[in-house]
Amino acid sequence: MDFIDYYNVLGLDRNASSDDIKKSYRKMARKRHPDLNPDNRGSHNKFQQINEANEVLSDPEKRQKYDLYGKDWQHADQSEKAERSRTNASEAGGSRSYSEYNDSDFSDFFSSMFGRSESKSAQIKFRGQDYNAELRLSLADAYVTHRQTITVNGKNIRITIPAGIENGQVIKLKGYGGNGVNGGPNGDLYITFSIADDLKLKRSGDDLYTLVDLDLYIAVLGGDVTIDTFSGRLKLTVKPETQNGTKIRLKGKGFPVYKKEAQF
């Protein structure tokens, strides 16, 4: 993966405070959000970089590693372990040459730092970076299983969204993150779903609620009214002398249970 200067992405210098990072992220995320730039592929990619930069710089531990190791920050633990192994071996008083060390003691980062030039077939494998993305759906979209294509880091990914997905729910797509290094496994992609409220139907768990206005004639004498649901229009029989605030339950007309569409 190409090196991305996270400070430059957020328009900050390296002395930026946590508040500076938070303010800049919110401002730039709003400006570059895909919903506001639906036809701008570059803006979508920039939005992904902004989220990635915020994830690293807003976390003190990740930021410290990024400041110290730059593009190799994700491999800091392995690099430090390799350096400790090299130092301990040196302090032991041995006169071993570099060629006597196992390649697993060194990361690419430290090999270049300490001048190791031998070409070895065995290299340390590093797992790719995890990616995070947000996908916005309407409540009607979340009601049915459907397929949708999302773009992450310039790559189109077609996914199936099960009916009953909840607002804020996160799903993991294994292997759809950053590429691994030296044959290491790819990272994973985590998708957070943001589901907008519907104007007529409100969701509470797997139940749906709607308000029905009755004229005085039907409320007093009873009659039929038609209501809208995600599965179509229904005729509802109102009993005579129905009071304001009365609740009527329609079995099986709520939201599908996640990954169990036959259940409501």
Side-chain angles (χ1 to χ4, degrees):
M1 181 185 299
D2 296 335
F3 174 66
I4 301 175
D5 187 334
Y6 293 144
Y7 289 99
N8 185 56
V9 168
L10 294 180
L12 299 168
D13 59 43
R14 292 185 173 270
N15 296 320
S17 66
S18 59
D19 285 340
D20 292 334
I21 294 171
K22 184 184 298 184
K23 291 177 182 177
S24 180
Y25 166 70
R26 289 177 176 174
K27 178 180 178 181
M28 300 190 73
R30 284 196 297 267
K31 180 180 178 181
R32 295 288 186 174
H33 199 284
D35 287 354
L36 300 179
N37 304 273
D39 300 322
N40 189 331
R41 173 66 63 83
S43 184
H44 185 92
N45 293 340
K46 185 68 174 178
F47 180 73
Q48 297 296 334
Q49 291 183 1
I50 291 169
N51 281 330
E52 185 178 321
N54 178 65
E55 181 184 356
V56 174
L57 299 184
S58 63
D59 184 311
E61 183 177 351
K62 290 181 180 179
R63 182 181 180 182
Q64 183 180 30
K65 291 178 180 178
Y66 177 78
D67 288 344
L68 182 61
Y69 293 98
K71 69 182 180 64
D72 297 284
W73 73 272
Q74 294 182 76
H75 313 315
D77 293 339
Q78 296 96 321
S79 298
E80 290 172 357
K81 180 179 178 181
E83 169 58 5
R84 284 196 297 269
S85 297
R86 189 193 70 83
T87 301
N88 291 339
S90 176
E91 292 176 351
S95 59
R96 297 163 64 194
S97 67
Y98 276 130
S99 60
E100 296 179 87
Y101 289 100
N102 188 305
D103 266 339
S104 63
D105 292 336
F106 297 87
S107 69
D108 292 343
F109 176 70
F110 275 97
S111 294
S112 62
M113 177 179 287
F114 294 107
R116 190 165 186 243
S117 60
E118 291 89 338
S119 175
K120 299 290 185 177
S121 59
Q123 294 181 325
I124 297 177
K125 297 180 179 180
F126 294 116
R127 182 177 179 275
Q129 180 183 357
D130 289 338
Y131 290 162
N132 292 279
E134 181 185 59
L135 182 57
R136 296 195 172 195
L137 301 175
S138 67
L139 195 59
D141 288 335
Y143 185 80
V144 294
T145 295
H146 65 285
R147 296 178 68 84
Q148 194 161 330
T149 300
I150 61 174
T151 303
V152 179
N153 266 31
K155 181 192 297 184
N156 291 332
I157 303 172
R158 191 162 176 80
I159 62 174
T160 298
I161 303 172
I165 195 86
E166 294 187 20
N167 183 47
Q169 186 170 341
V170 179
I171 64 172
K172 180 178 77 172
L173 299 183
K174 186 175 179 62
Y176 282 87
N179 295 329
V181 178
N182 295 333
N186 291 347
D188 299 327
L189 170 63
Y190 292 86
I191 303 176
T192 301
F193 288 85
S194 176
I195 301 175
D197 291 332
D198 188 81
L199 294 177
K200 294 183 178 180
L201 296 167
K202 304 299 179 184
R203 182 182 182 183
S204 178
D206 294 321
D207 295 328
L208 287 172
Y209 294 85
T210 187
L211 292 175
V212 179
D213 292 326
L214 299 179
D215 60 39
L216 183 59
Y217 179 84
I218 292 180
V220 174
L221 301 179
D224 293 334
V225 294
T226 301
I227 62 173
D228 293 316
T229 73
F230 288 135
S231 57
R233 306 195 79 187
L234 297 176
K235 182 178 289 186
L236 176 66
T237 299
V238 179
K239 294 181 179 180
E241 299 183 2
T242 295
Q243 300 296 311
N244 185 41
T246 298
K247 291 183 179 179
I248 299 177
R249 176 171 174 257
L250 300 179
K251 187 176 181 180
K253 298 302 179 182
F255 227 72
V257 178
Y258 182 65
K259 290 189 175 180
K260 297 178 181 178
E261 288 188 62
Q263 298 182 28
F264 287 82

